């Protein structure tokens, strides 16, 4: 993500489960926060509590801290189908499987809404399923509540997150991203041709 660039720092030891006051002290002096946190599934009996602590309360704490610290923009990574219930996708395999991990999509939605209502400028990036290899197909970038499936390279997600940090046209947007041709049969977004932006960053936001 360009951490070797001047003026960019990684907040080591930054724990979103800490209180907002503690986090605000660590965020002083930063203009933009790129947030890539998310709970790690583990003990099935504790996943609900973990998802709530990180993806819900953690984002709430971080948002309140950013506001108190004077951070100008928060770029938050989330997930497609976070608002799946509103888009009529609660019965889709993607929503059911993902949300089975501690109700994580429902928890993420609370965090997203708190950020949107906070008054802090935001960009919410909802990637499709993450994969480790380099991108193999053009980027598809659509408005929120558009995608119900798909895959995307972590490398491409990182590029979008960095662009979202500084692009003036990204302010207060919720976007969903995937690679072209990775959608499950029958779930290709309507009008996907218009959302296929590839490497042309002038079309990303």
């Amino acid at each position: 993500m360009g951490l070797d660039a001047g003026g960019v720092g990684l907040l080591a030891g930054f724990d979103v489960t800490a209180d907002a006051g503690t986090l605000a002290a660590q965020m002083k002096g930063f203009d933009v926060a790129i947030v890539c946190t998310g709970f790690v599934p583990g003990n099935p009996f504790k996943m609900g509590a973990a998802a709530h602590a990180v993806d819900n309360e953690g984002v709430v704490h971080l948002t309140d801290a950013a506001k108190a610290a004077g951070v100008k923009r928060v770029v938050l990574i989330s997930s497609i189908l976070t608002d799946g219930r509103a888009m009529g996708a609660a019965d889709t395999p993607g929503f059911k499987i993902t949300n089975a991990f501690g109700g994580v999509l429902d928890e993420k939605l609370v965090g997203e809404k708190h950020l949107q209502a906070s008054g802090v400028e935001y960009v919410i990036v909802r990637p499709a399923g993450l994969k480790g290899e380099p991108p193999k197909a053009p980027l598809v970038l659509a408005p929120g509540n558009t995608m119900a499936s798909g895959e995307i390279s972590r490398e491409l997600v990182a590029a979008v997150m960095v662009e979202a940090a500084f692009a003036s046209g990204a302010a207060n947007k919720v976007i969903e991203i995937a690679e072209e041709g990775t959608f499950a049969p029958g779930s290709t977004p309507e009008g996907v041709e218009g959302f296929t932006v590839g490497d042309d960053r002038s079309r990303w936001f």
Side-chain angles (χ1 to χ4, degrees), residues 26-200:
Q26 294 179 263
M27 298 177 78
K28 283 285 186 184
F30 286 89
D31 292 323
V32 179
I34 299 178
V35 185
C36 303
T37 54
F39 100 103
V40 179
N43 185 327
F45 299 105
K46 296 181 179 180
M47 285 196 297
H52 182 74
V54 175
D55 295 280
N56 177 334
E57 290 184 339
V59 175
V60 170
H61 296 168
L62 189 146
T63 297
D64 293 347
K67 187 170 185 175
V71 173
K72 297 174 182 176
R73 178 179 289 189
V74 173
V75 182
L76 174 69
I77 193 168
S78 186
S79 173
I80 62 167
L81 290 168
T82 289
D83 203 12
R85 299 187 193 280
M87 60 186 287
D91 290 329
T92 63
F95 184 89
K96 287 182 174 179
I97 292 169
T98 305
N99 212 40
F101 292 94
V104 65
L105 294 175
D106 295 326
E107 301 292 356
K108 284 181 180 294
L109 184 59
V110 176
E112 281 191 7
K113 288 184 174 181
H114 186 80
L115 175 58
Q116 289 175 290
S118 69
V120 177
E121 190 171 278
Y122 66 86
V123 189
I124 296 172
V125 180
R126 297 175 175 171
L130 302 175
K131 56 182 184 177
E133 63 263 28
K136 297 179 180 178
L139 173 67
V140 178
L141 190 153
N145 294 3
T146 300
M147 298 182 183
S149 69
E151 294 183 335
I152 187 167
S153 164
R154 293 176 186 272
E155 179 182 320
L156 191 49
V157 173
V160 172
M161 296 286 283
V162 171
E163 193 72 17
F166 304 105
S168 58
N172 299 327
K173 286 187 176 179
V174 179
I175 62 164
E176 298 183 347
I177 54 175
E179 290 181 45
E180 185 181 34
T182 64
F183 304 105
S187 69
T188 299
E190 185 176 349
V192 69
E193 299 82 5
F195 300 139
T196 304
V197 296
D199 294 330
D200 184 358

Side-chain angles (χ1 to χ4, degrees), residues 1-10:
M1 297 182 78
L3 290 176
D4 55 342
V8 179
L10 181 66

